[in-house]
Amino acid sequence: MSGARESGTFAEALAAAREKGLEATLSVDENTSVEVAFDFNRLKGIQNTESLVCSAQVIEGGKLGLATSTKPKDESGLIHKARDLSVYGAPADYSFPAPVSVKKPEVYSPDVVDLSVEKMIEMGEDLISFISKLHPDGNGGARIVKSVRRESIGNTKGLDASWERTTF
């Protein structure tokens, strides 16, 4: 993970919004995934994907402004865009939540992070071999996918939470 949510930039953007009297929420979602694909009983390809999505919500004048970007480290600009768009937003007769103490979800496995592409290929080959033994005339396909996601959310009321999760 690239660490696009720099705590200084993230916290500074929320502090600046708070000083302007804005209610704002920022979220950052980073995802890295690896997919090993087999088609017609052969390795078709290996795909590495990285994505970053930053989102801001601002309540100003009783209206909600939303903005989303894939540009890293531009949290202040994103809040500014959401503020500009709030004049066109839906009515917001609520406020963003203050932080509460909760247990972090256990959704992270270092085994998934450490899983090598070579091992994923080996697993796919084993699956294709198994399918071929069951149906020698068939053409099998398989996908082995792992992903690591880091999600963060903060707001001008002091909410500051982040977690990592893995899927396989």
Side-chain angles (χ1 to χ4, degrees), residues 13 22 77 81 85 92 101 106 119 122 140 154 168:
L22 296 175
K81 289 174 187 167
L85 292 170
S101 180
E106 293 184 28
K119 182 65 177 170
E122 181 183 320
F168 177 74

Side-chain angles (χ1 to χ4, degrees), residues 113-153:
V113 175
D114 295 339
L115 185 63
S116 69
V117 172
E118 292 80 11
K119 182 65 177 170
M120 293 170 71
I121 291 170
E122 181 183 320
M123 293 167 87
E125 289 171 341
D126 289 348
L127 282 169
I128 294 298
S129 174
F130 178 75
I131 292 169
S132 295
K133 287 177 185 170
L134 290 175
H135 301 284
D137 296 333
N139 287 317
R143 303 267 185 277
I144 310 295
V145 182
K146 77 171 188 172
S147 70
V148 181
R149 172 171 254 140
R150 178 178 167 84
E151 298 172 274
S152 304
I153 188 167

Side-chain angles (χ1 to χ4, degrees), residues 85-108:
L85 292 170
S86 68
V87 297
Y88 307 106
D93 58 352
Y94 57 88
S95 61
F96 296 127
V100 294
S101 180
V102 295
K103 183 179 175 188
K104 272 194 170 185
E106 293 184 28
V107 292
Y108 178 84

